[in-house]
Amino acid sequence: MPGILYLIPTILADDTAAQVLPAQVATHVAALSYFLVENARTARRFVKSVAPAHVIEDLRFTVIDKDSSEAEIRAALKLVSAGQDAGILSEAGCPGVADPGAEVARVAHQLGIQVVPLVGPSSLLLALMASGLNGQSFVFHGYLPIEKAKRIAALKQLERAALTHHQTQLFIETPYRNMPLLDDLLAHLQPTTRLCIAASLTAPNEFVQTHTVGDWKGKLPEIHKQPAVFLLGK
C-alpha cells in the first residue's frame, strides 16, 4: 500500500507556531522522516521548532520548487508509492495554495497516493476573512506584472472585475515593491473602489484595514519589506 502524503501548514510569522498551529501539526511532523519542501533551510528550521526531538541529520528533505519538473516530482514520490508517509512543507503558510505543493498533490492523486491536508494559517484566507469584502466570490491572481504600464493595466482590469461582478480580487507583491504598488493603486483606481491592505498577518505588527481608494490617500501604512496581501472590492 502507498504511504500517505500530508500537506503540513507552516507559520507566516516567526515564533508564532504555538498560537497558529493545532497540536496535530507537531504530532504529524514528529512522526515523519521524509519531507518534500519548497526551501530546505526554512523547512529544517520549522521541523526542529515544532518537533525538537527530531535529529535533523536523520531526516530526508527533497526540494520541490516552482522549477521542478514532473519527472522530479514523480521521483520524489517513489518512496511514498512504496509505502513511506511524507509531508509537504511550504516556505510559509499552507502548501498547495499559491505554492509548488499543488503539483506534488496533483501527481500524488495520479499515483493513487492519499493526500491529507492539515489545518493551519493561509494568508489569503486570513486577509479575505478580515477584509469585509465579498467572501463568496473571489479570485487570487498571484503576482502582477513588474513593468509599470502592464501593472497599471492589470490593476484596472482587476478593478473592472471587482466592480462589474462584485468579486473580490486578491493579489500579492514582492515585499520590497509594496509601496510603489500602493502608489499605483491610489493613482490609477477609482476613488470609490475599496482596497484592503493586509500585512504581516499573525505577527505582532499585523495590519489589516479596508478603505476606499480615496480615503487611503495620505494615510498609507509603511509596509516596505512586509509580506502583504492586497484585495480590491466593490
Side-chain angles (χ1 to χ4, degrees), residues 112-190:
I113 295 169
Q114 182 182 359
V115 178
V116 176
L118 302 182
V119 175
S122 164
S123 61
L124 302 179
L125 288 180
L126 291 173
L128 183 63
M129 289 165 61
S131 69
L133 301 177
N134 189 355
Q136 300 225 43
S137 179
F138 53 91
V139 180
F140 174 60
H141 298 274
Y143 294 96
L144 301 185
I146 295 175
E147 197 273 316
K148 188 176 180 68
K150 292 181 179 179
R151 183 171 67 247
I152 292 170
L155 289 173
K156 290 182 176 181
Q157 183 176 357
L158 297 188
E159 182 183 49
R160 283 194 295 272
L163 301 181
T164 302
H165 304 296
H166 189 23
Q167 182 183 66
T168 303
Q169 309 293 309
L170 298 89
F171 50 96
I172 55 178
E173 180 56 283
T174 302
Y176 69 84
R177 288 199 290 261
N178 282 342
M179 301 312 294
L181 171 64
L182 287 174
D183 289 340
D184 285 342
L185 285 162
L186 269 55
H188 298 283
L189 298 187
Q190 298 179 34

Side-chain angles (χ1 to χ4, degrees), residues 4-189:
I4 298 172
L5 184 65
Y6 293 96
L7 275 65
I8 301 171
T10 60
I11 56 176
L12 301 175
D14 291 340
D15 303 319
T16 57
Q19 290 76 43
V20 303
L21 296 178
Q24 67 162 340
V25 170
T27 299
H28 282 293
V29 171
L32 295 170
S33 60
Y34 182 38
F35 298 92
L36 310 181
V37 305
E38 185 176 9
N39 181 291
R41 182 173 175 271
T42 303
R44 291 189 185 98
R45 187 168 64 244
F46 172 76
V47 168
K48 193 63 178 177
S49 71
V50 299
H54 261 321
V55 177
I56 296 299
E57 291 74 19
D58 293 341
L59 306 178
R60 178 169 179 172
F61 295 87
T62 297
V63 173
I64 298 294
D65 58 22
K66 61 182 178 61
D67 298 318
S68 297
S69 66
E70 179 154 341
E72 289 171 326
I73 294 172
R74 287 182 176 273
L77 287 172
K78 281 185 178 180
L79 287 176
V80 188
S81 292
Q84 182 170 352
D85 293 345
I88 300 179
L89 289 172
S90 176
E91 191 164 3
C94 294
V97 181
D99 174 80
E103 286 298 297
V104 183
R106 177 183 65 81
V107 176
H109 286 297
Q110 294 176 352
L111 297 174
I113 295 169
Q114 182 182 359
V115 178
V116 176
L118 302 182
V119 175
S122 164
S123 61
L124 302 179
L125 288 180
L126 291 173
L128 183 63
M129 289 165 61
S131 69
L133 301 177
N134 189 355
Q136 300 225 43
S137 179
F138 53 91
V139 180
F140 174 60
H141 298 274
Y143 294 96
L144 301 185
I146 295 175
E147 197 273 316
K148 188 176 180 68
K150 292 181 179 179
R151 183 171 67 247
I152 292 170
L155 289 173
K156 290 182 176 181
Q157 183 176 357
L158 297 188
E159 182 183 49
R160 283 194 295 272
L163 301 181
T164 302
H165 304 296
H166 189 23
Q167 182 183 66
T168 303
Q169 309 293 309
L170 298 89
F171 50 96
I172 55 178
E173 180 56 283
T174 302
Y176 69 84
R177 288 199 290 261
N178 282 342
M179 301 312 294
L181 171 64
L182 287 174
D183 289 340
D184 285 342
L185 285 162
L186 269 55
H188 298 283
L189 298 187

